[in-house]
């Protein structure tokens, strides 16, 4: 076991890991941040997406060692107290949720995108959403939710 | 009726939990002293187990126990008891559990499974149902005919057939003699994985030899309770099965899946919770799969298009164990005709053991397989008759007074197929079809279908209502929230009945068999219907109780009082305006004594008079309620590659009453996209050793966002159901059913090519298109 430091949702943590530990294991098992979901464990579904130094990454295929010293943001870290982030609001308003297992992954992906490019084009949005799987919704409302989120973030609309 | 809540697009009541990551799923639960299990899986599709050596594994770090089922005589199942908790004398599919390691960490358990040595004698295996019933096929269950089973699931001794449902109406020979035109075709619907985004999980914890707590990703906590009680001969009351949020179910978490195995292995480490979460690979190879049908259909009609006779045989590759598939087989027989009247029917549906993971419920429950055939054959027959498919459909639709295959007389309250077809027709044909161009041909296709929730005759739903002192209500039900939105819709039903704002209703989020009311299982799209009615009943009883108490307080006749939600008023005394919340506990009168009792009520609902099918004719009042719908598709086909692009999917469903339009719409679209996947991309593929080759999400392809058609049409026809809550019907599984035949009919329209198998392969289509030129 090795030891390292990383920052998760603004808080510094020291964690133990070995060669086989993945970032998702640190988040879910060691830090009890279970909002990040494991849908496949092989990088194909996006349910485990978190933000690492500003980039959306799939925590199930990121070796723990890669996260050393990094700033990680998870679904638990994007609200301010009880106030939802505009992307969360947009997903609720657009009805972009069914079982909710894929939801956090989508929200984190969009968070990374809109933080970097608040004016992301429809095509850019589609490109990031394409890397996620949702079995329930048929995608229509996720697509609507993503566009609403862009507008709400930009215009700082709160509900 | 002036409705406040019903019919409104209320936002989901579980949305906050889900956008914040707070919604809990089984994998998120950690308990003190928790241990972790991993399972050694069979590498063979069919093999005798000669020996298992666990000694090395036992010495591995962190290992608490290595469990096998050697010497275990437990066989479980609700209808057919044919399955052991882990393989005993042989393995019947690749991926079957052979041994379990319980260790302090998941990794330690995983490492130790690699040290278990199993000596196998491989046996010939069979995947295809027709090969499995052929002479000389390997027999998968030698004791097929000896297993305990409830009546209605007759096996054929010495074969792999564990269930034969037969349906007979009229006189089939006479029918085909009367027919002037006959068409006959063979069809194939492959094995599919449900791909719920949440893989299956279970935590099991024996706190005494007589009592166990199970937290599972299940649609059926009360079935888990029943099976576990039978397996270990313990009182049901001692078993606490908890279900949290479910990350998708689609039938693949109904009945029992990994829970019996988990309960079995954890019994070896009493006092420790044992957690087992399947990997995605295991969700493919070692949970339930769906469909897998080879069928033959022959229909006869008069020249004017009147259908007269149908003969169909459906063979289901039901996998290694039959219990979860047997009722799917029967259900498909009920609807093999499609939503049309035939005077003469001969339908045979067979459940066949094969060497794949067991088949279970899969969104649609036999209805998609059967109506894939019926709706393609209507298209083919129409062509032969020289009439449009719509005309043929309209001539024969089930409607008021018509008699379906199982002998039920259809009532207007069952819904209106004509209106559904009108809507889809309009959506598809309102603009002319694009002209064939250099690269593409275009086509449009239709399908109609019907669906009934398959169930045991006494399948019921319960509800418990408790009023709080501030006038809000706790309502417990045991319908599982797996994405379909039952929590939201049931809140609407309760708020409407109690005449209080939605915020005053709290529907239980989690189910616990020791505290929640009985619910058969969350299947058949029937939660809104059945639990909704149970809630209405509980609410009405609560209202009655409140009125009685107020009548006693004021010494008035109950008929003089009016319940208005937050107040009870009097018709004769305008000054009487009693705050109902004061009744939650027994009422404290101004002179200081208690009147009445707590407002705690229960409701329970079952659809009356549902029967098991007659053993000889297969007929009877076996369907409790029906939903009718039509679907349509537009396709654009690349003439050079054969690639099919679905550009428009349409559904019109007679849902009785739209309780929540936006939730109903998303359910329709999600279902149509699942049908899209089955039509174009999804299929379990087996290698030459009988193992699933594409047990991952890169190779088993479910639809992605970019595959969304340019257009969805979702239309609701509202012919109220006589018994449904506020007139509503079952709708959740339905949209998946008609998509494959509608798309294949559209491909036919575009190319002239008749296809009989899904998923559609571009290469095959291209080849056949070439042949047509
Ligand atoms: S869980 Fe990481 S991509 Fe699926
Ligand atoms: S909402 Fe269930 S997987 Fe997306």
């Amino acid at each position: 076991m090795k030891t390292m430091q990383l920052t998760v949702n603004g808080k510094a943590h020291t964690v133990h890991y070995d060669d086989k530990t993945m970032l998702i294991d640190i988040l879910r098992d060691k830090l009890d941040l279970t909002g990040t979901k494991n849908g496949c464990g092989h990088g194909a579904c996006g349910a485990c997406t978190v933000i690492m130094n500003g980039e959306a990454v799939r925590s199930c295929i990121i070796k723990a060692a890669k996260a050393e010293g990094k700033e990680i943001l998870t679904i638990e870290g994007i609200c301010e107290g009880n106030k939802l982030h505009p992307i969360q609001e947009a997903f609720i308003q657009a009805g972009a949720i069914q079982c909710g297992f894929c939801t956090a992954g989508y929200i984190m992906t969009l968070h990374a995108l809109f933080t970097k490019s608040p004016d992301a084009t429809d095509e850019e949005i589609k490109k990031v959403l394409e890397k996620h799987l949702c079995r329930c919704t048929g995608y229509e409302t996720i697509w609507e939710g993503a566009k609403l989120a862009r507008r709400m973030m930009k215009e700082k609309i709160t509900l | 009726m002036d409705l406040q809540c019903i019919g409104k697009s209320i936002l989901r009541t579980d949305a906050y939990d889900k956008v914040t990551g707070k919604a809990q799923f089984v994998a998120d639960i950690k308990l003190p002293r928790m241990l972790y299990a991993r399972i050694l899986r069979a590498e063979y599709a069919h093999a005798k187990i000669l020996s298992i050596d666990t000694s090395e594994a036992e010495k591995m770090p962190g290992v608490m126990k290595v469990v096998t089922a050697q010497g275990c005589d437990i066989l479980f199942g609700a209808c057919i008891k044919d399955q052991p908790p882990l393989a005993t004398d042989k393995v019947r599919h690749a991926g079957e559990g052979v041994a379990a390691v319980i260790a302090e960490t998941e990794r330690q358990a995983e490492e130790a499974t690699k040290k278990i040595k199993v000596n196998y004698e491989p046996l010939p295996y069979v995947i295809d149902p027709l090969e499995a019933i052929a002479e000389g096929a390997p027999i998968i269950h030698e004791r097929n005919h000896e297993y305990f089973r409830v009546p209605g699931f007759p096996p054929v001794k010495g074969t792999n057939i564990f269930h034969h449902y037969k349906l007979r109406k009229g006189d089939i020979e006479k029918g085909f003699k009367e027919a002037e035109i006959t068409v006959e075709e063979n069809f194939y619907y492959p094995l599919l994985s449900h791909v719920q985004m949440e893989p299956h999980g279970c935590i099991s914890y024996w706190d005494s030899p007589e009592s166990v707590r199970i937290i599972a990703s299940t649609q059926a906590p009360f079935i888990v309770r029943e099976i576990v009680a039978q397996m270990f001969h313990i009182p049901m009351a001692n078993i606490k099965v908890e279900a949290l949020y479910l990350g998708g179910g689609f039938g693949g978490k109904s009945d029992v899946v990994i829970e019996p195995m988990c309960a079995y292995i954890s019994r070896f480490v009493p006092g420790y919770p044992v957690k087992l979460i399947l990997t995605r690979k295991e969700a493919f190879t070692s949970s339930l799969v769906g469909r897998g049908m080879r069928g033959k259909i022959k229909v006869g009609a008069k020249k004017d298009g009147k259908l007269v006779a149908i003969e169909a045989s459906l063979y289901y590759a039901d996998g290694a164990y039959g219990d979860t598939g047997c009722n799917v087989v029967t259900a498909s027989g009920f609807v093999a005709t499609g939503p049309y009247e035939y005077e003469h029917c001969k339908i045979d549906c067979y459940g066949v053991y094969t060497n794949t993971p067991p088949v279970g419920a899969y969104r649609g429950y036999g209805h998609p397989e059967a109506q894939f055939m019926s709706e393609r054959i209507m298209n083919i027959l129409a062509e032969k008759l020289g009439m449009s498919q719509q005309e043929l459909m309209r001539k024969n639709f089930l409607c008021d007074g018509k008699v379906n295959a199982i002998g039920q007389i259809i009532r207007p309250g069952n819904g209106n197929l004509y209106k559904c077809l009108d809507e889809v027709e309009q959506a598809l044909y309102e603009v002319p079809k694009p002209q064939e161009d250099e690269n593409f041909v275009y086509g449009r296709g239709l399908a109609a279908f019907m669906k009934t929730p398959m169930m045991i005759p006494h399948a019921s739903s319960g509800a418990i209502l408790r009023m709080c002192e501030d006038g809000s209500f706790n309502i417990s039900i045991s319908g599982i929230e797996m994405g379909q939105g039952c929590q939201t819709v049931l809140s609407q039903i309760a708020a409407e009945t109690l005449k209080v704002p939605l915020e005053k209703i709290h529907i239980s989020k989690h189910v616990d068999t020791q505290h929640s009311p009985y619910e058969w299982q969350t299947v058949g799209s029937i939660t809104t219907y059945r639990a909704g009615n149970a809630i209405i009943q509980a609410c009405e009883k609560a209202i009655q109780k409140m009125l009685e108490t107020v009548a006693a307080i004021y010494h008035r006749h109950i008929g003089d009082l009016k319940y208005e939600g937050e107040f009870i008023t009097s018709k004769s005394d305008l000054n009487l305006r009693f705050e109902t919340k004061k009744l939650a506990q027994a009422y404290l009168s101004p002179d200081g004594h208690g009147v009445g009792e707590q407002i705690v009520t229960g409701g329970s609902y079952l659809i009356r008079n549902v029967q098991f099918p007659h053993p000889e004719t297969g007929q009877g009042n076996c369907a409790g309620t029906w939903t009718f719908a039509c679907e349509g598709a537009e396709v654009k086909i690349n003439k050079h590659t054969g690639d099919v692009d679905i550009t428009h999917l349409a559904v019109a469903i007679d849902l009785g009453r739209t309780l929540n339009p936006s939730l109903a719409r998303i359910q329709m679209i999600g279902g149509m996209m699942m049908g899209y996947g089955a039509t174009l991309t999804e299929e379990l593929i087996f290698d030459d050793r009988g193992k699933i080759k594409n047990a991952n999400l890169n190779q088993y392809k479910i639809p992605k966002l970019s595959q969304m058609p340019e257009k969805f049409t979702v239309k609701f026809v509202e012919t109220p159901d006589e018994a449904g809550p506020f007139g509503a019907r079952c709708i959740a599984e339905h949209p998946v059913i008609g998509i494959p035949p509608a798309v294949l009919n559209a491909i036919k329209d575009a190319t002239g090519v008749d296809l009989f198998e899904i998923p559609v392969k571009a290469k095959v289509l291209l080849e056949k298109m070439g042949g047509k030129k």
Side-chain angles (χ1 to χ4, degrees):
Chain A
M1 281 277 168
K2 299 175 209 162
T3 303
M4 69 158 171
Q5 288 209 327
L6 77 176
T7 306
V8 182
N9 300 332
K11 201 164 166 272
H13 292 277
T14 304
V15 294
H16 302 294
Y17 71 102
D18 67 17
D19 290 351
K20 288 190 177 158
T21 313
M22 294 291 170
L23 176 55
I24 191 169
D25 305 326
I26 297 197
L27 298 172
R28 286 183 53 88
D29 301 344
K30 313 222 174 204
L31 305 179
D32 287 329
L33 295 168
T34 53
T36 300
K37 302 298 177 199
N38 186 339
C40 70
H42 59 78
C45 76
C48 64
T49 303
V50 299
I51 299 176
M52 184 161 84
N53 282 9
E55 299 288 335
V57 295
R58 287 162 188 239
S59 61
C60 74
I61 48 170
I62 299 279
K63 289 243 166 117
K66 281 249 164 84
E68 171 145 33
K70 300 276 166 64
E71 299 246 359
I72 310 287
L73 186 62
T74 73
I75 190 75
E76 289 88 351
I78 65 167
C79 319
E80 284 171 43
N82 278 328
K83 202 169 139 324
L84 295 179
H85 188 278
I87 304 175
Q88 294 173 309
E89 277 291 358
F91 263 50
I92 295 178
Q93 294 301 323
I97 306 144
Q98 283 200 289
C99 79
F101 204 77
C102 66
T103 309
Y106 277 106
I107 291 175
M108 297 318 287
T109 279
L110 291 171
H111 192 289
L113 176 68
F114 295 144
T115 305
K116 265 196 284 183
S117 18
D119 293 308
T121 62
D122 284 4
E123 284 319 305
E124 286 166 324
I125 299 177
K126 278 190 182 156
K127 207 173 137 205
V128 299
L129 296 182
E130 184 68 5
K131 296 186 191 138
H132 290 249
L133 295 174
C134 171
R135 187 57 151 171
C136 303
T137 62
Y139 300 109
E140 183 185 60
T141 52
I142 291 180
W143 171 233
E144 295 302 327
K147 287 187 292 181
L148 181 60
R150 173 179 59 189
R151 192 159 71 84
M152 287 173 65
M153 266 180 88
K154 239 183 99 178
E155 298 170 14
K156 305 233 172 339
I157 302 173
T158 45
L159 296 156
Chain B
M1 223 185 322
D2 186 17
L3 297 174
Q4 298 304 313
C5 242
I6 295 295
K8 308 253 163 29
S9 285
I10 304 286
L11 297 176
R12 294 183 72 99
T13 53
D14 54 357
Y16 182 88
D17 292 357
K18 290 177 177 176
V19 295
T20 54
K22 292 192 175 78
Q24 279 197 319
F25 300 83
V26 179
D28 304 338
I29 304 295
K30 231 188 226 177
L31 298 173
R33 282 155 55 90
M34 189 139 93
L35 301 176
Y36 298 82
R38 296 296 304 144
I39 310 296
L40 177 72
R41 303 280 177 192
E43 293 290 322
Y44 293 95
H46 196 195
K48 253 191 209 148
I49 298 175
L50 301 177
S51 63
I52 305 179
D53 178 358
T54 59
S55 53
E56 287 299 309
E58 276 154 22
K59 292 182 212 142
M60 292 289 285
V63 171
M64 299 285 286
K65 196 86 199 169
V66 183
V67 181
T68 71
Q70 299 307 297
C72 161
D73 61 359
I74 297 171
L75 289 175
F76 66 84
C79 296
I80 304 173
K81 295 195 192 307
D82 63 358
Q83 186 170 6
L86 286 166
T88 50
D89 52 334
K90 66 177 191 172
V91 295
R92 296 184 171 90
H93 72 91
E96 181 166 7
V98 176
V101 177
I102 299 168
E104 280 161 16
T105 70
E106 202 173 32
R107 182 100 63 76
Q108 289 169 334
E110 178 71 36
E111 290 304 319
T113 58
K114 296 177 190 159
K115 302 285 179 194
I116 301 173
K117 295 187 202 84
V118 187
N119 216 340
Y120 291 106
E121 178 191 323
L123 297 168
Y125 70 90
V126 61
I127 305 284
D128 186 283
L130 295 183
E131 288 170 22
I133 59 167
E135 271 289 307
I139 296 298
I140 296 166
H141 287 263
E142 294 76 6
R143 294 171 53 204
N144 181 9
H145 59 288
E146 288 172 24
Y147 292 134
F148 171 86
R149 58 186 75 217
V150 300
F153 302 99
V156 181
K157 191 176 168 178
T159 73
N160 286 316
I161 297 173
F162 64 85
H163 172 38
H164 174 196
Y165 167 70
K166 58 178 177 186
L167 174 56
R168 302 289 181 265
K169 179 189 178 194
D171 177 345
I172 195 69
E173 275 177 33
K174 184 164 160 255
F176 277 109
K177 249 180 229 150
E178 281 171 15
E180 291 164 330
I181 292 191
T182 306
V183 288
E184 186 174 353
E185 295 297 347
N186 294 309
F187 290 86
Y188 174 60
Y189 209 122
L191 283 168
L192 303 175
S193 177
H194 304 75
V195 192
Q196 314 90 339
M197 291 318 302
E198 176 206 24
H200 302 68
C202 184
I203 298 167
S204 172
Y205 171 53
W206 288 87
D207 43 18
S208 88
E210 296 279 299
S211 104
V212 62
R213 177 182 178 202
I214 294 169
I215 309 172
S217 61
T218 176
Q219 297 173 234
F222 288 88
I223 303 286
V224 172
R225 181 179 76 169
E226 177 188 329
I227 300 271
V228 169
Q230 288 172 5
M231 286 172 71
F232 303 104
H233 309 289
I234 56 173
M236 280 187 183
N238 295 4
I239 302 168
K240 181 183 174 91
V241 182
E242 293 168 73
L244 316 174
Y245 280 122
L246 220 55
F250 312 117
K253 294 172 181 169
S254 64
D255 298 315
V256 287
V257 192
I258 60 170
E259 304 83 6
M261 176 177 73
C262 228
Y264 173 76
I265 63 173
S266 62
R267 205 166 156 82
F268 290 84
V269 285
Y272 290 93
V274 175
K275 183 176 185 177
L276 172 68
I277 304 295
L278 296 194
T279 61
R280 175 53 60 186
K281 182 176 175 201
E282 288 176 301
F284 277 103
T285 63
S286 312
S287 72
L288 294 172
V289 296
R291 314 243 154 87
M293 187 276 303
R294 284 206 184 272
K296 199 194 315 201
I297 186 170
K298 177 176 155 192
V299 302
K302 295 279 195 196
K303 279 195 183 125
D304 66 359
K306 187 176 167 27
L307 299 171
V308 285
I310 179 168
E311 185 171 354
S313 317
L314 294 85
Y315 298 89
Y316 282 86
D318 266 327
Y321 299 100
D323 187 54
T324 46
C326 59
N327 279 302
V328 182
V329 172
T330 302
S332 74
F334 294 172
V335 297
T337 54
Y340 313 102
E341 189 185 52
Y342 287 87
E343 213 182 313
H344 308 285
C345 308
K346 177 173 184 278
I347 316 282
D348 291 277
C349 305
Y350 299 90
V352 182
Y353 286 129
T354 49
N355 295 113
T356 77
V359 164
Y362 191 125
R363 195 176 196 164
Y365 210 79
H367 297 63
E369 300 91 306
Q371 294 174 103
F372 174 47
M373 301 208 296
S374 73
E375 298 315 287
R376 278 294 290 125
I377 208 80
M378 287 297 276
N379 176 282
I380 293 164
L381 178 63
E383 187 186 28
K384 218 165 168 189
L385 288 165
M387 63 172 65
S388 74
Q389 189 186 338
Q390 297 93 296
E391 193 186 343
L392 179 61
M393 291 160 89
R394 285 197 174 93
K395 263 203 171 117
N396 295 285
F397 269 153
L398 287 172
C399 58
D400 187 17
K402 297 271 170 84
V403 182
N404 67 12
I406 55 174
Q408 294 174 310
I409 301 168
I410 301 300
R411 302 180 309 275
N414 288 128
N416 191 323
L417 276 159
Y418 294 92
K419 286 190 184 165
C420 296
L421 181 55
D422 289 347
E423 292 281 6
V424 171
E425 220 181 357
Q426 204 194 338
L428 287 192
Y429 298 96
E430 69 185 349
V431 287
K433 187 168 86 168
Q435 283 292 320
E436 174 173 354
D437 52 43
E438 213 178 296
N439 298 319
F440 299 102
V441 273
Y442 302 83
R444 305 181 286 208
L446 283 164
F449 64 87
M450 58 180 174
K451 167 94 182 58
T452 186
M454 187 68 188
M455 58 195 173
I456 53 172
H458 63 304
S460 68
S461 295
I464 300 170
L465 172 150
R466 287 173 295 152
M467 188 183 197
C468 305
E469 298 91 302
D470 63 352
S472 59
F473 292 86
N474 279 118
I475 295 178
S476 315
I477 48 120
S478 296
I480 307 292
E481 179 53 71
M482 48 192 175
Q484 82 280 44
C486 68
Q487 243 180 47
T488 310
V489 170
L490 293 175
S491 304
Q492 289 176 259
I493 289 174
E496 194 71 58
T497 313
L498 290 166
K499 300 190 173 128
V500 297
L502 194 75
E503 303 74 62
K504 298 235 170 189
I505 304 291
H506 183 272
I507 301 263
S508 51
K509 292 187 178 176
H510 297 165
V511 176
D512 159 355
T513 56
Q514 285 182 334
H515 297 99
S516 312
Y518 181 83
E519 162 73 53
W520 182 51
Q521 43 181 336
T522 303
V523 294
S525 313
I526 204 173
T527 303
T528 296
Y529 194 99
R530 204 168 51 206
N533 272 325
I535 287 177
I536 291 175
Q537 203 188 88
C539 293
E540 283 172 350
K541 281 190 197 165
I543 293 168
Q544 180 65 20
K545 240 184 185 185
M546 290 189 241
L547 288 169
E548 280 166 12
T549 311
V550 175
I553 296 167
Y554 291 99
H555 307 293
R556 273 170 201 274
H557 189 263
I558 200 166
D560 177 51
L561 299 173
K562 194 165 167 230
Y563 174 82
E564 297 187 49
E566 291 177 27
F567 294 95
I568 286 174
T569 55
S570 153
K571 291 170 196 161
S572 62
D573 176 358
L574 295 181
N575 293 322
L576 198 160
R577 196 170 155 80
F578 186 91
E579 261 193 304
T580 47
K581 69 181 181 193
K582 293 185 192 154
L583 298 167
Q585 303 299 345
Y587 172 66
L588 179 64
S589 75
D591 60 2
H593 66 275
V595 187
E597 53 183 281
Q598 284 183 23
I599 304 299
V600 181
T601 59
S604 115
Y605 188 82
L606 89 161
I607 300 182
R608 300 278 162 193
N609 303 321
V610 174
Q611 308 165 319
F612 285 121
H614 186 277
E616 287 311 312
T617 65
Q619 289 193 310
N621 192 45
C622 332
T625 171
W626 287 103
T627 305
F628 294 136
C630 287
E631 293 192 306
E634 293 190 66
V635 299
K636 172 180 171 189
I637 297 166
N638 186 315
K639 296 201 287 192
H640 314 298
T641 63
D643 283 316
V644 177
D645 183 8
I646 299 175
T647 55
H648 179 194
L649 287 175
V651 61
I653 184 165
D654 193 340
L655 44 54
R657 182 193 282 270
T658 319
L659 300 177
N660 183 321
S662 61
L663 288 192
R665 180 180 169 91
I666 193 174
Q667 191 70 16
M668 291 301 115
I669 287 175
M672 288 196 283
M673 285 307 282
M674 206 175 232
Y676 179 119
T679 311
L680 293 189
T681 59
E682 294 182 38
E683 158 183 45
L684 289 171
I685 302 170
F686 293 84
D687 70 11
D688 53 12
R689 294 171 61 198
K691 288 167 72 173
I692 297 173
K693 242 195 327 200
N694 55 342
N696 62 69
L697 293 179
N698 292 322
Q699 290 170 295
Y700 185 97
K701 292 183 190 304
I702 66 167
K704 294 189 162 191
L705 182 117
S706 61
Q707 282 158 318
M708 246 202 314
E710 287 151 31
K711 187 176 166 193
F712 288 115
T713 300
V714 177
K715 296 281 182 189
F716 300 127
V717 173
E718 299 190 298
T719 313
D721 184 276
E722 293 109 335
F726 298 94
R729 286 195 186 86
C730 310
I731 61 166
E733 297 161 89
H734 305 52
V736 80
I737 298 171
I739 298 304
V743 172
L744 267 59
N745 290 343
I747 293 174
K748 161 82 170 292
D749 180 44
T751 64
V753 172
D754 276 309
L755 296 176
F756 306 99
E757 290 192 15
I758 47 173
V760 174
K761 306 217 165 67
K763 229 178 86 192
V764 174
L765 178 57
L766 189 65
E767 227 174 80
K768 297 203 169 176
M769 281 162 69
K772 287 267 160 187
K773 269 181 204 157

